[in-house]
């Protein structure tokens, strides 16, 4: 795209050309005309700031009939800048009358029809050309501004239509999730509660109570998520760091929490991402390393710029004999860790998940305390995700 020259350069060229016109006819005009034209050329430099005043200042320069460039430029600028038609056409009429006024009345009396036509045609073209071009330039600017407004209005309408479609789709997903997931989880909770009440085995009763509690918590979180999809979320917001104690207690694991809170406030998004990171890590421990000891560490940089969430579990009891019975390497799709990476990336952070040298596993997330202006996506760490059973002399399941 070609760059337009600066405005001051164009003004300097116009003033220079108008001044050069005076040199071509300086021997044919008197001192008064020269002074009037010099004033007109000087005023051209201010025609964009005061278009009407400059156009009136250049009127005396048009009396001679020789020097027209400065009045034409001033009149064209006034026609393009002034919003009112009355001012523009009035200024053009004054300049036409001045330019068409004959120098001698005695000479006019002897003019014939064609001489009158020739005498009036020049001033008419001298005034009509710049006026028409100026109004055309103004009309073009107004049309461009209206087109810009129309495009902005169309974009706003498109966004509103897209938002309505998104809202409708979210409502449909909420209905589907409520009809399917909520129903199934409710049945699981009912069956677990019945098992806890009717079973004679203490371990079965404890398991039933635990499953019933987990089902109830799952339904509560599901209702919160469905409310967010419908736009009627709970004012309390999604779970955060304050809910970690209940999450750890419900996991049934031996968990030690080391919490060094940040010096600055955390955004709700960062707290929710930290909660989900711990939740997914504990779920993986229950699935792949039941009975192992878990350490959850929450810390922040001294400046409070990012929250570090680390969940580390020791090797499960009896890991040297292989994975727990009934568990295969296909039991985990790895989508949970992939979702955590995406969640951290959207906040401008990163997440690493890898086995430890002693046969355990660690999940480490770095979450900015405030959302980043542009999402940063960590791609190199994806290769660190273990696939299958890995370990040093032992077999550790993928988490």
């Amino acid at each position: 795209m070609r760059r337009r020259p600066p405005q001051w350069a164009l003004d300097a060229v116009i003033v220079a050309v108008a001044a050069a016109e005076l040199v071509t006819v300086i021997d044919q005009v008197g001192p008064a005309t020269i002074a009037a034209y010099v004033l007109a050329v000087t005023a051209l430099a201010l025609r964009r700031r005061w278009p009407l005043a400059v156009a009136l200042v250049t009127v005396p320069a048009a009396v001679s009939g020789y020097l027209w460039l400065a009045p034409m430029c001033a009149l064209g600028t006034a026609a393009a800048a002034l919003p009112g038609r009355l001012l523009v056409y009035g200024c053009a009429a004054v300049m036409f009358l001045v330019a068409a006024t004959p120098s001698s009345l005695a000479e006019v009396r002897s003019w014939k029809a064609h001489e009158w036509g020739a005498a009036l045609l020049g001033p008419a073209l001298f005034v009509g050309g710049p006026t028409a071009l100026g109004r055309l330039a103004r009309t073009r600017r107004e049309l461009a501004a209206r087109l810009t407004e129309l495009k902005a209005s169309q974009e706003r309408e498109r966004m509103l239509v897209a938002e309505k479609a998104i809202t409708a789709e979210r409502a449909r997903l909420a209905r589907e999730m409520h009809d399917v997931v909520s129903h199934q989880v409710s049945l699981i909770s009912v069956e677990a509660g019945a098992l806890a009440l009717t079973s004679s085995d203490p371990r079965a009763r404890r398991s039933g109570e635990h499953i019933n509690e987990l089902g109830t918590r799952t339904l509560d979180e599901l209702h919160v998520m469905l409310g967010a999809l419908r736009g009627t979320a709970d004012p309390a917001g999604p779970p955060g760091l304050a809910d970690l104690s209940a999450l750890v207690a419900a996991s049934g694991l031996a968990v030690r929490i080391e919490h060094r809170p940040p010096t600055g406030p955390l955004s709700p998004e960062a707290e929710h991402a930290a909660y989900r990171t711990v939740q997914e890590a504990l779920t993986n421990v229950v699935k792949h390393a039941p009975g192992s000891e878990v350490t959850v560490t929450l810390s922040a940089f001294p400046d409070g710029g990012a929250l570090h969430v680390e969940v580390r579990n020791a090797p499960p009891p009896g890991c040297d004999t292989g994975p727990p019975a009934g568990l295969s390497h296909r039991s985990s799709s790895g989508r949970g860790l992939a979702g955590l990476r995406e969640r951290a990336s959207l906040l401008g952070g990163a997440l690493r998940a890898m086995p430890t040298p002693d046969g355990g596993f660690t999940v480490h997330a770095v979450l900015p305390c405030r959302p980043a202006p542009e999402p940063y996506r960590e791609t190199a760490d994806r290769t660190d995700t273990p696939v299958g059973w890995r370990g040093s002399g032992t077999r550790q399941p993928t988490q």
Side-chain angles (χ1 to χ4, degrees), residues 212-299:
N212 188 19
E213 182 181 354
L214 290 178
T216 303
R217 290 176 56 85
T218 302
L219 284 175
D220 292 339
E221 290 197 17
L222 180 61
H223 291 158
V224 172
M225 183 173 60
L226 295 181
L229 286 175
R230 293 192 179 101
T232 58
D234 188 352
L241 297 183
D243 303 294
L244 285 181
S245 299
L247 175 65
V248 169
S251 66
L253 297 171
V255 181
R256 184 176 75 256
I257 299 179
E258 299 177 359
H259 188 192
R260 294 187 289 274
T263 57
L266 283 175
S267 65
E269 294 84 359
E271 286 203 26
H272 186 54
Y275 178 89
R276 293 304 183 193
T277 301
V278 176
Q279 183 184 46
E280 178 64 22
L282 295 181
T283 301
N284 287 339
V285 172
V286 172
K287 291 166 58 178
H288 302 298
S292 62
E293 297 181 356
V294 183
T295 301
V296 177
T297 304
L298 303 173
S299 60

Side-chain angles (χ1 to χ4, degrees), residues 147-198:
L147 284 176
T148 302
E149 293 179 358
L150 179 60
K151 290 181 180 179
S153 177
Q154 290 177 343
E155 181 65 18
R156 288 193 298 268
E157 184 178 356
R158 187 191 66 81
M159 292 181 64
L160 288 176
V161 172
E163 289 179 0
K164 289 181 179 179
I166 291 174
T167 302
E169 181 64 15
R170 291 171 64 179
R172 186 188 68 82
L173 291 175
R175 290 193 302 268
E176 292 293 332
M177 293 178 65
H178 180 270
D179 294 341
V180 178
V181 181
S182 179
H183 175 69
Q184 299 296 336
V185 175
S186 297
L187 291 180
I188 293 173
S189 298
V190 170
E191 293 292 338
L195 177 64
L197 292 175
T198 60

Side-chain angles (χ1 to χ4, degrees), residues 35-348:
Y37 197 72
V38 169
L39 178 62
V41 171
T42 305
L44 283 181
L46 303 175
R47 74 187 192 283
R48 299 185 188 278
R49 180 173 297 183
W50 299 298
L52 180 61
V54 172
L56 294 178
V57 167
T58 60
V59 168
V63 175
S64 66
Y66 292 101
L67 302 171
W68 287 0
L69 187 56
M72 288 175 65
C73 292
L75 183 59
T77 302
L82 296 178
R85 296 182 180 180
L86 183 61
L87 288 176
V88 173
Y89 295 144
C91 185
V94 170
M95 195 165 292
F96 171 78
L97 292 175
V98 170
T101 301
S103 57
S104 173
L105 295 178
E107 181 182 358
V108 173
R109 294 172 183 174
S110 61
W111 280 2
K112 297 180 180 180
H114 69 278
E115 292 176 332
W116 275 103
L120 296 178
L121 180 60
L125 294 176
F126 155 68
V127 172
T131 303
L133 290 176
R135 298 308 292 178
L136 179 62
R138 181 175 181 83
T139 303
R140 183 176 179 274
R141 288 200 308 268
E142 292 177 350
L143 287 177
R146 291 181 181 179
L147 284 176
T148 302
E149 293 179 358
L150 179 60
K151 290 181 180 179
S153 177
Q154 290 177 343
E155 181 65 18
R156 288 193 298 268
E157 184 178 356
R158 187 191 66 81
M159 292 181 64
L160 288 176
V161 172
E163 289 179 0
K164 289 181 179 179
I166 291 174
T167 302
E169 181 64 15
R170 291 171 64 179
R172 186 188 68 82
L173 291 175
R175 290 193 302 268
E176 292 293 332
M177 293 178 65
H178 180 270
D179 294 341
V180 178
V181 181
S182 179
H183 175 69
Q184 299 296 336
V185 175
S186 297
L187 291 180
I188 293 173
S189 298
V190 170
E191 293 292 338
L195 177 64
L197 292 175
T198 60
S199 177
S200 59
D201 186 357
R203 294 183 58 186
R205 288 199 301 270
R206 286 196 300 270
S207 298
E209 293 173 356
H210 185 59
I211 293 173
N212 188 19
E213 182 181 354
L214 290 178
T216 303
R217 290 176 56 85
T218 302
L219 284 175
D220 292 339
E221 290 197 17
L222 180 61
H223 291 158
V224 172
M225 183 173 60
L226 295 181
L229 286 175
R230 293 192 179 101
T232 58
D234 188 352
L241 297 183
D243 303 294
L244 285 181
S245 299
L247 175 65
V248 169
S251 66
L253 297 171
V255 181
R256 184 176 75 256
I257 299 179
E258 299 177 359
H259 188 192
R260 294 187 289 274
T263 57
L266 283 175
S267 65
E269 294 84 359
E271 286 203 26
H272 186 54
Y275 178 89
R276 293 304 183 193
T277 301
V278 176
Q279 183 184 46
E280 178 64 22
L282 295 181
T283 301
N284 287 339
V285 172
V286 172
K287 291 166 58 178
H288 302 298
S292 62
E293 297 181 356
V294 183
T295 301
V296 177
T297 304
L298 303 173
S299 60
F301 285 145
D303 59 356
L307 174 68
H308 287 245
V309 181
E310 183 180 86
V311 182
R312 180 187 297 267
N313 66 277
C319 65
D320 54 341
T321 61
L327 181 65
S328 69
H329 67 283
R330 296 183 180 178
S331 61
S332 177
S333 63
R335 293 177 182 173
L337 291 178
L340 292 181
R341 282 195 179 89
E342 293 175 359
R343 189 186 296 272
S345 177
L346 290 175
L347 293 178

